[in-house]
């Protein structure tokens, strides 16, 4: 007998929901996306991929955020892609606008200049709001208050192997705080004064720098400590993240974000949330709490990570990616060598 689903209004068979089919422990976690109404199709592609490879068996809720109201068409299109609960939230204006300490005339001048130089997203203001939001505000949204862990999902991404275990429960059980798949170089032009600012921060707040941290991922020559160091531009590609929200809510990260934000350089330069998150994770956490998900096959244009172990992933029909064409270890733009020297074996 078909029943009308209370949530979507669709006629459905009386359903066995994933949590009933897979009754194992869950983490307090959500799949989290910042997305625009215009990105419905590519966002549905991401959902189709992650739902079929992972979430249909685990049933984690989705939380979607937008600086504008989501349209009814968008909501309908999203709800049709999952049996999970979906929350749609609009971001408060204060989290997506110029703070009053920023000189907007200067910001516009810098954007024009970077645009002229052909810097990617150089003259784009909404991109800067996005980077600042992902650096300092997403984890404070009301809709994320109930959760400890999140998985960041962008429009147009693809997961190319089955994920047969729960990465959130893995994080929790193994005391992990930050998980990534791809490590890559940042465009120097967008973060020209970020590293000097990080050094000033470390001088002012030495208590926030962790013992056994992953500084060697960020710095090639560590013999002179942080003070004498030069940033090698390596960062975790933050369009994929599985991480602990409590880290971003911590005193260390709160002090860090405020210190960075006050410079205005999310606007004058074009500081990305990827280097900001990466530097925080590499310096404020012991390296044991940072995890590379080698087993998660992930594509975000123009790069993809494909697991290298053929017997485990490729000889058994679990994957549709080509390990020989994985960004790491084959692409010269990858920062995996810098990661491997920090953690030769990622447990
Ligand atoms: P890229 O990956 O650096 O090329 O940047 P994207 O265009 O993919 O943007 C990063 C993330 O922020 C994606 O999840 C986008 O959907 C989202 N995003 C970017 N700009 C905006 C915006 O103006 N509004 C909203 N709501 N989301 C945005
Ligand atoms: Mn993207």
């Amino acid at each position: 007998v078909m029943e009308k689903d209370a949530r979507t209004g669709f006629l459905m068979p009386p359903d066995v929901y994933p949590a009933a089919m897979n009754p194992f422990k869950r983490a307090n976690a959500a799949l989290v996306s910042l997305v625009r109404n215009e990105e419905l199709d590519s966002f549905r592609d991401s959902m189709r991929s992650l739902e079929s490879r992972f979430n249909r068996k685990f049933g984690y809720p989705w939380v979607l955020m937008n600086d504008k109201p989501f349209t009814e068409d968008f909501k309908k299109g999203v709800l049709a892609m999952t049996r999970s609960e979906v929350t749609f939230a609009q971001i408060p204006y204060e989290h997506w606008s110029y703070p009053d300490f920023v000189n907007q005339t200067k910001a516009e001048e810098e954007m024009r200049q970077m645009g002229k130089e052909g810097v990617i997203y150089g003259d784009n203001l909404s991109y800067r709001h996005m980077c600042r939001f992902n650096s300092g505000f997403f984890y404070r949204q009301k809709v994320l208050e109930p959760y400890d862990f999140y998985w960041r999902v962008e429009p147009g991404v693809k997961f190319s192997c089955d994920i047969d275990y729960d990465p959130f429960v893995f994080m929790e059980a193994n005391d992990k705080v930050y998980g990534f798949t791809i490590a890559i170089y940042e465009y120097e032009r967008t973060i020209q004064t970020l590293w000097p600012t990080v050094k000033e921060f470390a001088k002012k707040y030495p208590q926030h720098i962790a013992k056994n941290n992953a500084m060697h991922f960020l710095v090639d020559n560590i013999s002179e400590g942080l003070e004498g160091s030069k940033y090698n531009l390596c960062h975790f590609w933050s369009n994929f993240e599985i991480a602990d929200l409590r880290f971003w809510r911590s005193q260390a990260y709160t002090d860090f974000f405020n210190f960075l934000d006050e410079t205005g350089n999310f606007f004058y330069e074009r500081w990305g949330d990827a280097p900001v998150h990466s530097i925080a994770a590499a310096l404020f956490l012991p390296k044991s709490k940072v995890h590379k998900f080698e087993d998660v096959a992930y594509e975000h244009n123009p790069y993809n990570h494909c697991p290298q172990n053929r017997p485990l992933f490729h000889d058994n029909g679990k994957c549709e990616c080509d390990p020989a064409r994985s960004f790491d270890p084959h692409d010269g733009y990858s920062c995996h060598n810098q990661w491997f020297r920090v953690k030769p074996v990622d447990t």
Side-chain angles (χ1 to χ4, degrees):
V1 190
M2 301 283 269
E3 294 171 2
K4 197 164 180 172
D5 185 276
R7 190 190 55 126
T8 59
F10 301 150
L11 280 178
M12 306 269 274
D15 209 344
V16 180
Y17 279 82
M21 297 179 67
N22 176 350
F24 293 95
K25 180 181 159 59
R26 292 291 188 282
N28 188 19
L31 311 174
V32 173
S33 302
L34 173 70
V35 60
R36 289 168 281 214
N37 287 310
E38 311 84 77
E39 293 172 305
L40 176 60
D41 288 347
S42 55
F43 188 67
R44 278 163 55 99
D45 291 341
S46 299
M47 288 186 79
R48 185 177 302 110
S49 177
L50 190 54
E51 285 288 339
S52 67
R53 291 295 192 176
F54 168 69
N55 202 43
R56 63 191 294 277
K57 300 171 293 218
F58 293 87
Y60 281 100
W62 288 86
V63 176
L64 274 57
M65 299 175 292
N66 189 351
D67 58 307
K68 309 220 165 59
F70 281 115
T71 62
E72 289 311 310
D73 278 354
F74 183 92
K75 293 183 194 174
K76 206 171 147 198
V78 163
L79 286 172
M81 300 303 296
T82 179
R83 294 179 287 186
S84 288
E85 191 187 324
V86 185
T87 307
F88 299 91
Q90 190 177 352
I91 298 159
Y93 178 76
E94 316 83 79
H95 296 169
W96 198 282
S97 50
Y98 279 119
D100 51 19
F101 53 81
V102 166
N103 177 338
Q104 298 185 25
T105 313
K106 180 177 175 195
E108 277 161 29
E109 225 162 82
E110 298 290 346
M111 280 191 282
R112 252 194 312 275
Q113 177 57 31
M114 286 175 82
K116 256 194 268 173
E117 291 175 34
V119 178
I120 185 167
Y121 300 117
D123 60 358
N124 189 323
L125 177 60
S126 69
Y127 194 84
R128 285 168 168 76
H129 287 310
M130 181 275 288
C131 289
R132 181 167 175 264
F133 173 80
N134 278 324
S135 298
F137 299 100
F138 82 95
Y139 53 87
R140 304 190 224 177
Q141 299 303 297
K142 258 219 155 52
V143 281
L144 288 183
E145 255 168 36
Y147 301 109
D148 297 330
F149 293 94
Y150 70 99
W151 183 331
R152 176 166 161 185
V153 184
E154 286 203 355
V157 304
K158 188 172 166 192
F159 297 88
S160 306
C161 299
D162 287 337
I163 300 166
D164 292 326
Y165 71 101
D166 185 332
F168 294 123
V169 170
F170 167 86
M171 297 281 290
E172 189 158 55
N174 294 286
D175 224 2
K176 304 296 182 192
V177 172
Y178 190 87
F180 70 98
T181 56
I182 286 176
I184 188 171
Y185 293 101
E186 180 59 296
Y187 301 101
E188 183 156 31
R189 179 66 177 85
T190 66
I191 50 154
Q192 285 178 325
T193 67
L194 177 57
W195 196 248
T197 309
V198 168
K199 288 184 189 178
E200 279 173 46
F201 176 82
K203 215 182 281 168
K204 186 169 172 197
Y205 296 97
Q207 71 273 24
H208 292 332
I209 308 299
K211 287 202 179 65
N212 299 316
N213 63 42
M215 183 175 111
H216 208 181
F217 172 62
L218 308 172
V219 171
D220 293 330
N221 178 359
I222 54 171
S223 65
E224 292 177 65
L226 198 53
E227 309 83 70
S229 68
K230 184 176 176 321
Y231 183 32
N232 63 14
L233 307 177
C234 285
H235 63 286
F236 309 125
W237 220 22
S238 63
N239 48 65
F240 171 101
E241 286 181 324
I242 298 178
D244 191 330
L245 289 157
R246 293 164 293 190
F247 177 58
W248 310 123
R249 296 168 184 148
S250 70
Q251 195 59 53
Y253 189 77
T254 302
D255 290 339
F256 186 56
F257 174 73
N258 291 337
F259 193 86
L260 298 184
D261 196 33
E262 281 161 15
T263 66
N265 283 321
F266 282 103
F267 295 97
Y268 308 140
E269 298 189 2
R270 204 216 67 199
W271 290 357
D273 55 285
V276 170
H277 283 191
S278 303
I279 290 167
L283 295 182
F284 309 158
L285 293 169
K287 59 186 169 188
S288 62
K289 292 185 188 290
V290 182
H291 177 71
K292 180 195 168 190
F293 280 100
E294 165 64 26
D295 55 343
V296 172
Y298 175 69
E299 293 185 34
H300 173 296
N301 193 38
Y303 299 117
N304 79 90
H305 168 70
C306 185
Q308 295 297 296
N309 187 321
R310 287 175 188 267
L312 218 52
F313 294 95
H314 299 285
D315 300 344
N316 54 12
K318 259 175 89 132
C319 297
E320 55 177 320
C321 58
D322 179 354
R325 293 173 55 191
S326 179
F327 183 59
D328 105 87
H330 305 290
D331 195 298
Y333 213 55
S334 164
C335 273
H336 278 282
N337 289 335
Q338 291 84 344
W339 180 249
F340 290 141
R341 75 186 171 201
V342 171
K343 286 179 89 172
V345 178
D346 218 304
T347 48

